Amino acid sequence: MGGVSNATLSPLPSADRPDVAAPLREALLAASFTADGLLELLGAPAYAALARSETVPALRATRGDTPLETLVRLFLLQQPVPYARVEEFLPVRACVESGWLVPAGEDEVAATVDVRPYGGPGGEDWFIVSDLGCAVGGAGGIGSKDEGVVLGVGGASTTLAGITVRTPVGAALDLGTGSGIQALHAAQHATRVTATDLNPRALHITGLTLALSGAPAADLRTGSLFEPVRDDETYDLIVSNPPFVISPDARLTYRDGGMGGDDLCRSLVQGAGERLNEGGFAQFLANWQHVEGENWQDRLRSWVPRGCDAWIVQREVQDVTQYAELWLRDAGDHRGDQAEYQAHYDAWLDEFEARKVKAVGFGWITLRRTAAEPVTTVEEWPHPVEQPLGDAILAHFGRLDYLRAHDDAALLAGRFRLVTEVVQEQVGLPGAEDPEHVVLRQHRGMRRATKVDTVGAGFAGVCDGSLSAGRILDAIAQLVGEDPVSLRDRTPAQIRLLVEQGFLEPAE
């Protein structure tokens, strides 16, 4: 990962002034400067436009002078506002002295950082601090070329927060914390939170995010990946939304890992195993290369550290041209000099060609430290899911434990229930006597669908926890005129799959 130069970025507010952060927070809440308040003021179209870097609808919706409108213009839209007006509901003098605000023009003040309202999973009112222009639309919203810029809330950060397992833990580690979103979430269920980043500016902003959100302070450490972590330190939860972009250079610290290809993500995953306590989880967003002549699933299996179960889900695949264009636009390169843009684009394609990369995958990686024989699942699931998924991911590993502890004989002796949200669909031609196939479909969590045969459909439909799997199969055998021993021999694999994917759950 490259060095950091913050020469062109604005000075930051003081991070050691709780006497300012607390009253500032109270003032923001009193003015309904919250996620719900923002949505109500702007309306859904203008609110959504902010995520696309479009501020005109929000500017139109904040032409009045209510406290909320004024705060939106000040902290989200970077508009100077009259000192006398904002003094009525903000501790302005303290905010100027501590660096949250600076004088601007005649009798006006401007914000030195973005402050975006953010709703926590339990209805908490939080505030994510980021560099100017970065709470709205990411770096592309400002065409930032500064490698030290710290972004606010984005799709990747909310995705990781949604998939993270939220059980109470003693120690949590947020690697590459950025503006502190993951550390803020972790602080709600971890006794101790450590947050690291290569960019000292990011750690400063994380401190601001935690303070303004009323969260406990974290242990903030500068360094790349696991460098700031001592050899004797282990954790119950490790999360990271790393700079996973596979690029030919490392000019933007917030996204470019600075290692060749997908080596940064591989190093992060491989290094997590020895840092986890027994039963602890490590969860990452990552990119990985699809290399010519290589199975992408095998590539990812090779990343999994020893002593860890793994569940890896590929959510999206882009060819190399789509991928290069996405990240060139993310940095605002398409708005600059066309020759420079084309040179950057060419460099990306040269890099991919040299590595024989034909596409890039994106997805989630979850590890869990285990004393048992580890199991790795690598799959592709590009379909819609229901966030938050933390409980569904925890349940996946619980089912894995159950299946690992039950051989086929124990499986047949067990009792199961069809999960409540599962429905059965019959697919076939209209008027046909029998369906061509039967599909079981989930309406929660991963929202999976799986095709089952007649026996599988009949078995799942009868599972209410009252009879053992073996007794149900014996009854089905009698109904369809099949040898019960043969049916018992061939069905456990299908039962195992239905349990693994969350269609059936053990009743005991």
Side-chain angles (χ1 to χ4, degrees):
M1 298 171 71
V4 177
S5 171
N6 296 322
T8 64
L9 295 172
S10 64
L12 293 173
S14 173
D16 55 0
R17 291 290 303 274
D19 58 315
V20 178
L24 175 56
R25 170 179 170 77
E26 291 173 9
L28 297 178
L29 293 176
S32 296
F33 187 63
T34 63
D36 289 341
L38 196 62
L39 181 59
E40 184 176 349
L41 171 68
L42 301 181
Y47 190 83
L50 289 177
R52 303 192 302 270
S53 311
E54 299 294 347
T55 58
V56 171
L59 286 166
R60 290 174 62 87
T62 56
R63 288 182 288 198
D65 68 346
T66 65
L68 180 55
E69 289 170 297
T70 305
L71 289 172
V72 171
R73 289 200 304 276
L74 178 64
F75 283 120
L76 269 184
L77 303 177
Q78 286 80 65
Q79 303 295 307
V81 298
Y83 186 108
R85 176 67 185 116
V86 79
E87 190 178 28
E88 296 176 18
F89 49 84
L90 275 189
V92 177
R93 178 172 298 191
C95 286
V96 170
E97 290 175 354
S98 59
W100 287 94
L101 302 175
V102 292
E106 291 188 11
D107 302 321
E108 291 185 319
V109 289
T112 57
V113 289
D114 274 351
V115 177
R116 177 168 174 174
Y118 180 76
E124 301 92 347
D125 289 314
W126 294 338
F127 300 98
I128 308 300
V129 180
S130 62
D131 272 314
L132 290 174
C134 291
V136 174
I142 56 172
S144 174
K145 297 296 194 298
D146 195 298
E147 65 174 11
V149 70
V150 179
L151 302 191
V153 182
S157 54
T158 55
T159 293
L160 179 59
I163 68 172
T164 301
V165 173
R166 297 295 176 195
T167 53
V169 296
L173 172 64
D174 176 15
L175 282 172
T177 188
S179 57
I181 300 168
Q182 309 308 324
L184 179 56
H185 277 277
Q188 311 310 304
H189 63 105
T191 304
R192 176 172 58 88
V193 176
T194 301
T196 73
D197 205 289
L198 179 65
N199 184 357
R201 187 178 183 86
L203 294 173
H204 189 121
I205 284 179
T206 291
L208 297 175
T209 290
L210 295 171
L212 196 58
S213 297
D219 180 1
L220 306 177
R221 304 182 190 178
T222 306
S224 178
L225 300 181
F226 291 101
E227 286 175 3
V229 178
R230 296 193 304 270
D231 291 342
D232 62 343
E233 289 182 303
T234 55
Y235 298 87
D236 306 298
L237 175 67
I238 299 172
V239 291
S240 183
N241 175 22
F244 54 65
V245 177
I246 300 170
S247 68
D249 54 35
R251 62 196 176 100
L252 297 175
T253 303
Y254 73 86
R255 66 161 212 200
D256 302 322
M259 297 185 185
D262 52 17
D263 284 353
L264 182 134
C265 289
R266 176 185 55 78
S267 298
L268 184 61
V269 174
Q270 288 181 336
E274 62 185 3
R275 305 293 185 180
L276 282 177
N277 293 324
E278 187 71 25
F281 285 90
Q283 298 186 263
F284 314 103
L285 300 187
N287 275 178
W288 43 79
Q289 297 173 151
H290 285 230
V291 179
E292 187 177 336
E294 178 184 89
N295 182 299
W296 69 270
Q297 293 179 323
D298 290 342
R299 182 182 192 86
L300 289 171
R301 286 190 183 94
S302 74
W303 291 10
V304 178
R306 289 194 301 177
C308 288
D309 293 322
W311 185 18
I312 302 173
V313 182
Q314 179 167 272
R315 296 287 291 155
E316 185 179 0
V317 181
Q318 292 184 315
D319 68 46
V320 292
T321 59
Q322 292 173 312
Y323 188 81
E325 290 163 15
L326 169 68
W327 293 109
L328 287 168
R329 287 180 176 274
D330 173 81
D333 287 351
H334 61 301
R335 294 178 175 155
D337 178 77
Q338 191 62 21
E340 185 179 349
Y341 171 79
Q342 291 179 347
H344 282 144
Y345 197 152
D346 214 28
W348 283 62
L349 296 185
D350 282 345
E351 175 81 3
F352 286 133
E353 186 176 330
R355 294 181 174 275
K356 298 184 178 179
V357 176
K358 56 184 180 179
V360 177
F362 166 81
W364 319 323
I365 298 177
T366 300
L367 307 176
R368 183 187 61 169
R369 190 78 186 176
T370 180
E373 185 66 29
V375 174
T376 294
T377 302
V378 183
E379 62 176 315
E380 187 164 19
W381 189 252
H383 310 293
V385 298
E386 182 191 45
Q387 284 276 36
L389 268 174
D391 287 346
I393 289 177
L394 181 63
H396 167 89
F397 286 92
R399 295 191 299 269
L400 184 64
D401 288 339
Y402 176 87
L403 292 172
R404 190 158 38 197
H406 290 72
D407 60 17
D408 286 355
L411 210 61
L412 291 174
R415 293 178 291 113
F416 301 92
R417 280 189 298 261
L418 187 66
V419 172
T420 307
E421 302 84 6
V422 174
V423 297
Q424 178 178 300
E425 300 172 359
Q426 295 188 350
V427 181
L429 294 173
E433 185 175 342
D434 295 312
E436 292 178 19
H437 58 263
V438 177
V439 173
L440 299 180
R441 187 179 301 277
Q442 301 168 349
H443 285 283
R444 303 295 301 275
M446 291 292 287
R447 292 177 173 164
R448 293 186 187 275
T450 189
K451 192 186 300 184
V452 291
D453 60 18
T454 305
V455 171
F459 179 86
V462 176
C463 281
D464 62 2
S466 61
L467 296 174
S468 70
R471 288 190 62 185
I472 293 174
L473 290 179
D474 290 344
I476 292 175
Q478 189 173 5
L479 283 173
V480 301
E482 186 169 341
D483 176 34
V485 175
S486 173
L487 195 59
R488 279 174 171 257
D489 283 345
R490 67 178 176 85
T491 308
Q494 190 170 184
I495 298 174
R496 198 171 287 276
L497 182 64
L498 291 175
V499 172
E500 179 186 343
Q501 295 191 342
F503 292 94
L504 295 176
E505 59 186 5
E508 54 253 322

